[in-house]
Amino acid sequence: MTNKIRTLDDLRRIREASTDLTSARSKGRASIIVGMGTCGIAAGAREVMSAALRELEKRNIHDVSLTATGCIGMCEKEPLVDVIVPGMGRITYGLVTPEDMAAIVAEHVVNGHVVERLVIGRAD
Amino acid sequence: MPVFRGHILVCGGTGCASSGSQEVQKAFHEELEKRNLDKEILVVQTGCHGMCEMGPIVVIYPEGTFYCRVQASDVTEIVQEHLVKGRPVPRLLYTAPEDASKVPFYKDIPFYGKQRRIALKNCGYINPDNIEEYIARGGYEGFGKALTGMTPAQVIDEVKTSGLRGRGGGGFPTGLKWSFAAKSPGPKKYVICNADEGDPGAFMDRSLIEGDPHSIIEGMMLGAYAIGADEGYIYCRAEYPLAIERLKTAIAQAEDFGLMGTDILGTGFNFTLHIKEGAGAFVCGEETALMGSIEGRRGMPMPRPPFPAVHGLWGKPTNINNVETWANVAQIIVNGGAWYASMGTEKSKGTKVFALTGKVKHTGLVEVPMGITLREIIFDIGGGILNDKKFKAVQIGGPSGGCLTEAHLDLPVSYESLTGAGAIMGSGGMVVMDEDNCMVDVAKFFLEFTQRESCGKCVPCREGTKHMLLLLEKITSGRGTMEDLTTLEQLADMVKEMSLCGLGQTAPNPVLTTLRYFRDEYEAHIRDKRCPSHACTALLRYEIDPDKCKRCGLCAKNCPVNCISGSRQEPYRIDQEKCIRCGTCFQKCPFGAIRKS
């Protein structure tokens, strides 16, 4: 079996590889929140959520929390996505497509640059 | 590795399993699959969260939303609302007893606020059947650290520094105990884990094994390395099938990963571990009886010395510790003895797990730092007395412990303070009683247990507990005399002083403490033939108030012995000669016309 632990380093390697198993049980270093009210879902939030997951998986990112939230009242701008990166406030993106979502993960979450063309609101 | 945006943690402890958590877990799997969410959201079975009374418990991460009493029929709503639409389901959230407000998050629930979880660190957080989750949380790090960088003597010193004491109830310093076994010469030594948890109302060991079996195994291997043993036994009672199952899985995984077996981590250290299932005798929790039982003999205690550290299992030097003691060891090695010793009181360091049961709002498993007061445990963590009745007493330490009163509520909990008040730390059972509990009846209940479990080897325990029980039966049936009280006290002292093992030495504790703190209740049973709490059936009398009786006849219809007569014209009455005091009429009367006295 591949996981045979023969040295202390083996143990630490398995620990490193296993942290991802439980990392979803903590808040994570950043959060992506997708509006999944009836309006959001009708506008395609489900696909946006899947796109976010695929992008995180592709980049092997396990310490970002991805959650759903209800309608926040700006239904015509759905799908709405909030991204919180510590030090950058809470950025709300509107009319997000699955392709936009991939860009948001790459630009905002990974590189720390807000995707200005999609921003519809900011809060601290 | 796939990314999951959410983890659903379903409690798989015995408490939650008996209230339907397995069906809940199955329903989550089905519902997620149906909605195509099974690649996004992971369902994990965990060990006990401690708040068993609120079970089945489901925690959803990353939010950390805590759902109580979840049934399979609630699952569709949780998935639809919480996981799809991001709206928590308020009706399943924890409700604060003070102001009926909803508390959505795990971390904000007062039950957990005052706890300090060390032994229970992983319980309810990881999947106990997955060694990788344990390793991810720092598991086997202490073992690896000791094996590759510490001498056995250094390991013992670290445990000595921590001030850890035997959590099974004895309170003997663990490091010192290890040093005795380490000094005993001989190529063959054993370590044993005592998981023969038999106290009524105690379930800390079971929950620990079910929720985090690897922490116990790691602790045992550290102990084995420290004393020079290469083989171990876990003596677990057969009444804990789930715990045994989890242990078997954990041992097999540790072997698979090369953490158990021969030449572990290339250091030449060997270790094998066996499980021995106990057959249900309470006395087998006593270490010499336990070893006898492993050897295939009848479980009966032997006089000590020789102590197990010198002459233990099959005559070899052996170190026995309780489940909770072992569960603390690995973290002491990782974080250092001084870290552990920074918690607790001067002589009682670290934390202790208690099983909080009885007439308290939140029954369950709590881990608190030593030195916390009983009031904080019962009222802040436990939420106070059920139905807001009056607190009367708390029985600490199971059938070997004692009853403490309201006067002790501000007592800081430590080995010394509890012993001083007449109770013992014991393994950590805590049974809360309210004004409806008769203290004589409580003493009788615990004595019935110890009397039945006495192995019969020594006379004081075998005969003494029997005669004490007969006296208590006499008193609770209203036939007692004041002289009986003196005899009871003398007998209790005798059994305590002269019994061979801990079972007999502590069996009189409930009687002695209730005599000390609730003597007036004993006297009421004897002098006035009256049970002040209306609990002793033989002293009860049910009567119908003719003015309140509406002559509906419900009482007579439900009476199992037909001792109530009456008609539309005349009020009903109870024939006291025939009445068996079952209380059915009292419960059935819609007008409160029946009195207990």
Side-chain angles (χ1 to χ4, degrees), chain B residues 151-433:
Chain B
T151 63
Q154 282 172 325
V155 173
I156 293 176
D157 280 343
E158 206 61 56
V159 176
K160 275 187 184 166
T161 310
S162 75
L164 177 66
R165 294 167 64 174
R167 294 289 189 254
F172 193 81
T174 306
L176 195 61
K177 194 172 187 175
W178 288 16
S179 69
F180 294 151
K183 274 182 213 141
S184 289
K188 185 74 189 173
K189 295 180 190 177
Y190 293 97
V191 287
I192 297 176
C193 172
N194 184 349
D196 190 49
E197 183 177 49
D199 291 7
F203 50 94
M204 343 356 107
D205 295 350
R206 193 198 72 215
S207 295
L208 267 165
I209 299 176
E210 287 175 1
D212 197 11
H214 285 286
S215 69
I216 293 136
I217 295 173
E218 187 182 359
M220 288 183 78
M221 293 209 287
L222 279 161
Y225 175 68
I227 70 161
D230 65 353
E231 202 171 346
Y233 281 88
I234 298 177
Y235 190 94
C236 186
R237 58 198 311 235
E239 292 94 324
Y240 287 174
L242 185 61
I244 291 169
E245 211 43 56
R246 297 254 162 93
L247 277 174
K248 282 183 182 161
T249 309
I251 292 172
Q253 286 180 345
E255 283 172 348
D256 258 1
F257 273 66
L259 290 165
M260 201 187 282
T262 52
D263 193 23
I264 302 167
L265 300 181
T267 59
F269 176 70
N270 307 324
F271 189 73
T272 47
L273 186 56
H274 315 279
I275 300 170
K276 168 75 187 176
E277 291 180 32
F282 181 63
V283 75
C284 284
E286 198 281 336
E287 57 184 19
T288 56
L290 184 151
M291 292 188 299
S293 172
I294 293 180
E295 291 171 11
R297 289 184 284 115
R298 186 172 162 183
M300 275 185 164
M302 306 279 278
R304 293 174 303 181
F307 285 94
V310 178
H311 185 96
L313 190 61
W314 285 298
K316 308 292 183 211
T318 302
N319 183 70
I320 302 192
N321 281 122
N322 156 273
V323 171
E324 193 188 333
T325 316
W326 288 123
N328 279 301
V329 171
Q331 291 188 65
I332 288 172
I333 298 301
V334 170
N335 301 312
W339 160 79
Y340 195 80
S342 69
M343 291 168 283
T345 66
E346 193 195 337
K347 286 186 175 157
S348 301
K349 302 294 188 192
T351 60
K352 175 79 191 92
V353 182
F354 288 101
L356 193 58
T357 57
K359 306 277 185 68
V360 63
K361 278 184 187 148
H362 302 315
T363 56
L365 203 67
V366 302
E367 181 170 359
V368 289
M370 293 277 194
I372 193 172
T373 64
L374 288 172
R375 188 185 300 280
E376 286 174 285
I377 299 177
I378 296 166
F379 288 88
D380 296 347
I381 298 175
I385 308 301
L386 208 60
N387 301 323
D388 291 313
K389 292 211 171 179
K390 203 171 166 310
F391 169 83
K392 186 173 195 176
V394 54
Q395 167 84 14
I396 300 180
S400 324
C403 269
L404 300 186
T405 67
E406 204 171 354
H408 300 103
L409 275 179
D410 292 309
L411 190 77
V413 172
S414 70
Y415 288 99
E416 286 72 27
S417 67
L418 291 181
T419 310
I424 57 166
M425 182 76 80
S427 54
M430 211 175 251
V431 185
V432 178
M433 284 164 271

Side-chain angles (χ1 to χ4, degrees), chain A residues 3 16 23-25 28 38 42 106:
Chain A
N3 272 334
E16 201 60 41
S23 60
R25 285 166 223 170
T38 306

Side-chain angles (χ1 to χ4, degrees), chain B residues 4-42:
Chain B
F4 291 97
R5 69 172 167 99
H7 284 194
I8 302 174
L9 272 55
V10 183
C11 179
T14 296
C16 285
S18 60
S19 50
S21 71
Q22 253 128 15
E23 287 76 34
V24 172
Q25 196 181 343
K26 195 164 151 263
F28 269 117
H29 280 298
E30 287 168 2
E31 191 66 26
L32 291 177
E33 203 166 324
K34 205 170 92 189
R35 289 172 179 273
N36 240 338
L37 288 166
D38 52 331
K39 300 277 186 304
E40 285 181 28
I41 293 166
L42 185 70

Side-chain angles (χ1 to χ4, degrees), chain B residues 471-596:
Chain B
L471 282 172
L472 284 177
E473 277 167 359
K474 194 176 161 196
I475 294 170
T476 51
S477 62
R479 293 175 289 115
T481 62
M482 291 308 277
E483 206 192 339
D484 288 338
L485 277 190
T486 323
T487 319
L488 186 62
E489 261 177 326
Q490 280 172 350
L491 262 174
D493 281 331
M494 194 266 299
V495 174
K496 193 178 169 122
E497 293 300 320
M498 295 171 69
S499 292
L500 174 61
C501 81
L503 194 157
Q505 286 158 12
T506 57
N509 281 349
V511 175
L512 285 169
T513 47
T514 47
L515 271 171
R516 185 163 148 194
Y517 300 122
F518 298 96
R519 201 178 187 92
D520 53 326
E521 288 198 22
Y522 281 85
E523 289 173 356
H525 283 77
I526 295 168
R527 280 213 191 102
D528 316 335
K529 311 285 173 220
R530 182 176 71 83
C531 173
S533 311
H534 305 309
C536 296
T537 45
L539 297 177
L540 269 186
R541 204 181 144 86
Y542 288 95
E543 277 169 353
I544 299 173
D545 183 342
D547 296 334
K548 283 192 190 160
C549 178
K550 301 272 191 260
R551 297 158 207 192
C552 69
L554 256 184
C555 53
K557 212 165 137 189
N558 284 290
C559 176
V561 289
N562 294 322
C563 73
I564 307 180
S565 55
S567 68
R568 278 264 164 235
Q569 284 72 40
E570 52 172 331
Y572 281 77
R573 51 179 293 281
I574 298 170
D575 182 345
Q576 297 296 339
E577 290 293 302
K578 280 203 232 158
C579 175
I580 56 164
R581 288 128 188 145
C582 65
T584 308
C585 55
F586 181 78
Q587 284 161 5
K588 290 287 175 189
C589 178
F591 310 107
I594 298 176
R595 280 194 305 254
K596 258 205 287 197

